[in-house]
């Protein structure tokens, strides 16, 4: 999220609250490890720092996705072992017999 978008969303929530008398639900979903729009000025701090939303929403509930439903088991294993060096990604797909969707060459 960029600062401009954050400012707009914050103002929208305030206006809805003032005009309609209720707070709309706000769900923030993201992954700081996949900040793909950083090149465009997006910042992960809007996910990581709930104090930025103080006054609008207090008592955020943080949920961590423990299992990926998009990454096959063999890709998760490669990323964990060869890229990250730790077991961070758990795949919903536990079928290691499926062919890998990527190839790599090591000299």
């Amino acid at each position: 999220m960029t600062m401009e978008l954050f400012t707009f969303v914050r103002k929208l929530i305030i206006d809805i609250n003032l005009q309609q008398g209720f707070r709309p639900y706000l769900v923030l979903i993201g992954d700081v490890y996949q900040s793909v729009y950083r090149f465009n000025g997006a910042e992960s701090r809007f996910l990581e720092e709930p104090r930025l939303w103080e006054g609008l929403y207090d008592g955020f509930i943080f949920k961590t996705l423990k299992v990926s439903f998009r990454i096959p088991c063999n890709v998760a294993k490669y990323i964990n072992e060869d890229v990250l060096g730790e077991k961070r990604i758990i795949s919903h797909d536990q079928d290691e017999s499926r062919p890998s969707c990527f190839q790599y060459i090591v000299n």
Side-chain angles (χ1 to χ4, degrees), residues 72-83:
C73 181
N74 51 5
V75 175
K77 182 177 178 182
Y78 167 74
I79 292 171
N80 287 333
E81 292 176 3
D82 298 334
V83 177

Side-chain angles (χ1 to χ4, degrees), residues 37-72:
Y37 291 103
R38 191 175 300 142
F39 74 93
N40 203 21
E43 302 176 50
S44 61
R45 69 185 173 129
F46 300 107
L47 293 171
E48 297 176 294
E49 300 177 26
R51 65 178 176 74
L52 295 170
W53 299 94
E54 281 179 359
L56 295 176
Y57 295 95
D58 296 318
F60 268 96
I61 299 172
F62 287 90
K63 299 286 185 180
T64 301
L65 180 66
K66 304 246 188 255
V67 177
S68 172
F69 290 86
R70 295 185 294 171
I71 300 175

Side-chain angles (χ1 to χ4, degrees), residues 14-30:
I14 290 169
D15 288 351
I16 290 172
N17 193 9
L18 290 175
Q19 293 175 9
Q20 304 295 325
F22 71 93
R23 287 186 193 156
Y25 287 102
L26 177 65
V27 179
L28 302 173
I29 300 173

